[in-house]
Amino acid sequence: MTEAAPLAPVAARQRLHALDVLRGIALLGIALMNVEYFGRPLADVGNGVDPSQTGLDHALSWLIYVFVQGKFWILFSLLFGMGFAVMGARTQAAGGGFTRLYVRRSLGLLVIGLVHALAIWAGDILVTYAIGALLLLLFRDASPRRQGQWGALLYGAPVLGLLMMAAVMLALQSSGLSSGDHVDLAQEAREQAARAAEIAAYSDGTWWQATVVRARYLLTHIPEMLVFECFAVGIFLIGAWLLRSGAIAQPSDHAALYRRLRHLALPVGVVLALLSAAVTVHLDWKEQGARAMLAMALMLAASPLLSLGYLALVVAALQTAFGARLLAPLAPLGRMALSNYLLQSLVGTWLFYGHGLGLWGSVPRRWQVAGVVAVFVLQVLLSRIWLAHFRHGPVEWLWRAWTYRQVPPMRAR
């Protein structure tokens, strides 16, 4: 009987090229969304497009809100779920030991996320991913089809609930049974104070003052983070189903699935996103709570459909010679996605925060977008140069050393 190979980080030649390309694309979408909140309070997340913007700045914000915001974290989450499935398959082939290894990997990600959230930027998503990764263990033994069904339920049920709640609120308002949205003055005062503290600490404060505000933000938003876990775990499971079904490794064998994603899911997602934007892109939760909830629920329904459509378009492009050549430079970026994600936060906070260049609130949206594109191109080039000399990104190397309890080779052969 052949002895199972010991578990170790995946070699470059064993990686799925499509996943690395998709991670690189997801990084661009995430940066386009995050850059606004390097120079705007995180208290405004969930309020939609800044109503003070006009002209080109408003148009860019509208396009990013409708077609990017909320779509690329989902794409990244699909890929995270695929990574869960890949690790499960590899540990099974190696003779077991998945749970212990996976828990250690998730705890390592949790530490990285906490450092990011506390020391760099409060808009971190890695802590949410790490907790969601542990919750994925509850579904480890489910079949691929069952994982996909659970994923659709975990994401879709809350969205349906929000749609129903918005419909009830609108019906009550139209019938005159509800006089409008009631404002809790004490809660509003607390929110305004927290927003003012963010602005003061990030725009003019020291690194330590910003860290104190980041820690407060993390603690006060734990309930929202736990609610968000339902959506995240749902998307993780859909990603695991896609990987385990063979649709990623053998796309030509699943041509019908990809046609449905391109010709059905993507157009329906566009229609729902445009409907949401038609309701409102300025989510005023105090004065127009019912409309804001309806717009948010429609956008939540649109986002996974758009993300899956984007994924299908990229996979289709990779099946062509031209598309493969065009997208190939993104693969090194995706191979070290964690390092590049953290680097985006470091650059963004250094540019905008008071303990850096202090550009908070002074950069128009058009220059934010231009800056993201410039930094992204630089990251593509630097990632290629780095991986020509090293096997892993620096943070990936540390994470893998912790996960496998051995120091992986760093220098490229």
Side-chain angles (χ1 to χ4, degrees):
M1 181 177 178
T2 303
E3 184 178 354
L7 283 169
V10 178
R13 65 182 179 275
Q14 297 174 309
R15 298 178 66 92
L16 287 171
H17 178 70
L19 297 190
D20 288 331
V21 170
L22 285 163
R23 287 190 188 95
I25 293 172
L27 280 171
L28 175 59
I30 289 170
L32 287 170
M33 181 181 69
N34 287 351
V35 66
E36 181 176 12
Y37 294 97
F38 291 138
R40 181 182 176 187
L42 283 165
D44 292 349
V45 171
N47 291 344
V49 177
D50 185 351
S52 66
Q53 293 177 341
T54 58
L56 179 59
D57 293 330
H58 185 274
L60 288 170
S61 290
W62 189 94
L63 289 170
I64 291 170
Y65 174 74
V66 174
F67 296 109
V68 175
Q69 186 170 328
K71 287 74 180 175
F72 284 85
W73 81 259
I74 288 182
L75 180 58
F76 213 91
S77 299
L78 288 169
L79 298 167
F80 190 88
M82 293 176 196
F84 166 76
V86 167
M87 193 172 188
R90 290 185 64 243
T91 51
Q92 184 178 8
F98 171 81
T99 301
R100 183 173 62 253
L101 190 73
Y102 186 75
V103 169
R104 195 158 59 238
R105 179 178 185 266
S106 301
L107 292 177
L109 184 62
L110 179 62
V111 171
I112 295 170
L114 287 172
V115 171
H116 180 228
L118 295 173
I120 303 173
W121 187 53
D124 170 79
I125 200 171
L126 300 178
V127 172
T128 302
Y129 274 27
I131 296 172
L134 295 172
L135 295 175
L136 274 179
L137 290 172
L138 299 173
F139 305 91
R140 182 197 170 192
D141 296 328
S143 67
R145 183 181 181 86
R146 184 67 67 183
Q147 286 181 336
Q149 290 172 340
W150 271 111
L153 179 64
L154 286 171
Y155 189 96
V159 173
L160 181 60
L162 289 172
L163 283 169
M164 294 173 63
M165 190 181 302
V168 170
M169 291 172 65
L170 287 169
L172 289 174
Q173 284 185 5
S174 63
S175 65
L177 296 177
S178 174
S179 59
D181 300 289
H182 300 283
V183 178
D184 184 334
L185 296 179
Q187 177 63 24
E188 184 177 11
R190 287 192 293 270
E191 291 174 358
Q192 291 300 322
R195 187 177 187 277
E198 268 198 84
I199 295 173
Y202 298 155
S203 62
D204 297 313
T206 64
W207 174 84
W208 178 250
Q209 289 171 328
T211 299
V212 170
V213 171
R214 283 190 288 260
R216 189 181 302 127
Y217 183 91
L218 178 65
L219 292 173
T220 56
H221 284 78
I222 287 176
E224 290 91 336
M225 182 179 67
L226 294 178
V227 171
F228 182 71
E229 287 290 359
C230 185
F231 293 103
V233 173
I235 298 300
F236 294 165
L237 288 169
I238 294 173
W241 161 69
L242 275 172
L243 191 288
R244 294 181 66 197
S245 70
I248 300 299
Q250 294 92 28
S252 59
D253 296 340
H254 297 79
L257 169 64
Y258 284 111
R259 280 196 300 271
R260 288 195 294 271
L261 293 179
R262 291 193 303 270
H263 303 310
L264 181 60
L266 183 59
V268 172
V270 170
V271 169
L272 288 172
L274 292 176
L275 282 174
S276 172
V279 173
T280 183
V281 295
H282 309 298
L283 305 186
D284 187 343
W285 294 97
K286 295 180 177 64
E287 301 297 330
Q288 297 180 329
R291 289 186 65 196
M293 183 171 292
L294 177 60
M296 183 185 71
L298 287 170
M299 195 61 78
L300 284 171
S303 293
L305 299 176
L306 284 168
S307 300
L308 288 166
Y310 296 161
L311 181 148
L313 290 175
V314 172
V315 171
L318 288 171
Q319 305 312 302
T320 68
F322 174 76
R325 286 196 302 270
L326 180 67
L327 297 174
L330 299 180
L333 182 74
R335 280 179 57 190
M336 45 190 294
L338 181 57
S339 294
N340 280 307
Y341 169 72
L342 296 174
L343 180 60
Q344 288 176 354
S345 294
L346 283 168
V347 172
T349 53
W350 175 72
L351 287 172
F352 288 91
Y353 282 20
H355 57 265
L357 295 185
L359 299 179
W360 176 278
S362 63
V363 180
R365 196 73 168 110
R366 71 193 76 178
W367 292 113
Q368 292 178 11
V369 173
V372 164
V373 173
V375 170
F376 182 77
V377 171
L378 187 60
Q379 284 187 296
V380 170
L381 296 175
L382 291 176
S383 297
R384 182 169 183 170
I385 293 170
W386 179 275
L387 291 176
H389 297 88
F390 304 101
R391 301 187 185 196
H392 313 286
V395 183
E396 285 81 0
W397 181 81
L398 289 171
W399 189 22
R400 291 173 184 189
W402 161 260
T403 299
Y404 296 98
R405 299 181 72 178
Q406 61 180 4
V407 178
M410 188 59 167
R411 297 286 303 186
R413 293 177 180 175

